[in-house]
Amino acid sequence: TEASEDTAQSEPEGSAQQDEKLPTLDEMPLPTAEALLREPPVDWIVLKYKQQVIVAEPVTPRPDTLRKLQEAYDAKQQQRGRITGEELQRFREELEALSKLPLRLPDQVDEADYLIPAKLVEQIIHHEDLVLRRIDQLIEEDEIDLAYELLNILRRKTPDWPGAAERHHDLLFAEAAREIARDQWEAALVTLEELHGRAPQYPGLSQRTGTVGDRLIERAVAEGDWRRARHSLHRLESLYTDHSIADAWSERLLQRAEGELAQAEQARAAG
């Protein structure tokens, strides 16, 4: 089934959506985590006309579908000068096919794919992108475990999907915040060390790591556990060679050591 440009410019139709006005992008609710985990994946095809949305089965190629279609069309177009005679009609048909986006609606069974001119599509929000948007919401709601579950499934199926690695970084940062709130400072430092290994320039990482390191060293010093204090300090210094918190504690511990040595010298002199 092929939708003409006039039809697509007014109200694209098809199957269950045929007798209904297509929803606009701002009317589309973000799928819940449960829906994303249990229901078949779908893509949102956002049309330029009023940003109406067609919900379709996952399109190909992906990701960057529109860019890849355009590149294939341009590459085909460059062959035009070399095509003559009987091959010209076939060339035109192939070029025409590359200008359209095949769509299959979720309730389609035996019908042929719908063909939408690619130039009428503003953007394609893939199923994976919807998952990432839901993960962002879950992080804001402090639903870290559920967000991890979604991300793990996404990365298992499409490990290199754009934005997935960045969401992992966001989750690690949020997980460290949760561990701090639960007074789990050692666990928080381990999480921040993992994040540093993945994204050392992550915004706010240096400050949060300094806060955690400061608390761990402070507690060790208060308990007189100098070995643990030095260990925590060295971990902080291994991440940031010139961190202000590490420098301050290094100076304080040095002064403390010098004071202890002075007392020892006085005690030795007094016999």
Side-chain angles (χ1 to χ4, degrees):
T1 303
E2 182 170 343
S4 68
E5 293 189 19
D6 292 339
T7 301
Q9 283 285 11
S10 54
E11 291 185 7
E13 299 177 342
S15 191
Q17 301 179 20
Q18 185 171 1
D19 298 324
E20 302 177 8
K21 180 181 177 182
L22 290 171
T24 59
L25 183 58
D26 58 5
E27 294 172 341
M28 294 291 293
L30 184 65
T32 64
E34 181 178 358
L36 292 169
L37 287 168
R38 304 189 184 284
E39 296 179 4
V42 294
D43 291 346
W44 291 359
I45 314 302
V46 183
L47 304 177
K48 293 179 180 178
Y49 179 73
K50 296 184 178 180
Q51 287 201 317
Q52 291 180 328
V53 177
I54 299 175
V55 178
E57 293 183 2
V59 298
T60 56
R62 59 198 298 119
D64 298 326
T65 302
L66 294 177
R67 178 182 61 80
K68 291 175 180 176
L69 287 177
Q70 185 63 49
E71 289 177 350
Y73 181 89
D74 293 341
K76 191 71 176 179
Q77 185 76 281
Q78 292 176 1
Q79 303 173 14
R80 179 181 291 275
R82 303 192 299 270
I83 306 298
T84 58
E86 297 178 355
E87 297 180 353
L88 187 58
Q89 180 59 32
R90 180 179 177 182
F91 170 81
R92 289 172 177 169
E93 292 173 355
E94 292 175 350
L95 191 64
E96 177 73 9
L98 289 172
S99 71
K100 291 180 168 56
L101 176 67
L103 298 181
R104 178 164 288 271
L105 306 183
D107 55 357
Q108 269 185 256
V109 181
D110 298 324
E111 301 95 332
D113 290 351
Y114 289 83
L115 298 175
I116 300 294
K119 67 181 181 180
L120 301 182
V121 180
E122 179 174 303
Q123 64 171 315
I124 298 174
I125 304 176
H126 295 289
H127 167 76
E128 292 84 354
D129 299 319
L130 295 173
V131 172
L132 294 180
R133 293 186 182 192
R134 174 51 65 185
I135 288 173
D136 291 338
Q137 289 287 327
L138 291 172
I139 292 175
E140 291 183 8
E141 298 165 2
D142 199 29
E143 295 286 346
I144 307 300
D145 295 335
L146 184 53
Y148 265 124
E149 183 178 357
L150 277 174
L151 182 64
N152 289 337
I153 293 174
L154 171 61
R155 301 200 75 179
R156 185 165 62 247
K157 294 180 178 179
T158 52
D160 298 324
W161 191 266
E166 288 74 14
R167 293 324 191 281
H168 194 175
H169 303 161
D170 295 340
L171 276 168
L172 288 170
F173 197 65
E175 182 181 359
R178 182 174 66 174
E179 290 164 343
I180 291 171
R182 294 176 176 177
D183 202 32
Q184 299 172 342
W185 297 88
E186 177 63 31
L189 183 56
V190 172
T191 301
L192 293 172
E193 286 172 331
E194 180 180 353
L195 177 54
H196 185 275
R198 296 173 179 271
Q201 302 302 320
Y202 188 91
L205 176 59
S206 174
Q207 180 179 0
R208 182 163 294 179
T209 305
T211 299
V212 173
D214 183 53
R215 179 58 63 90
L216 288 172
I217 299 169
E218 183 180 47
R219 285 186 172 181
V221 169
E223 297 169 8
D225 191 338
W226 308 110
R227 182 187 299 272
R228 182 156 55 92
R230 289 196 306 272
H231 178 66
S232 298
L233 176 58
H234 291 160
R235 289 169 70 182
L236 182 56
E237 289 176 331
S238 68
L239 299 176
Y240 301 99
T241 56
D242 57 350
H243 200 292
S244 60
I245 297 295
D247 291 344
W249 271 112
S250 181
E251 180 64 25
R252 288 175 62 181
L253 292 177
L254 179 60
Q255 292 177 358
R256 181 71 176 260
E258 290 176 345
E260 294 286 345
L261 287 172
Q263 292 181 25
E265 179 62 26
Q266 292 174 3
R268 186 193 67 79

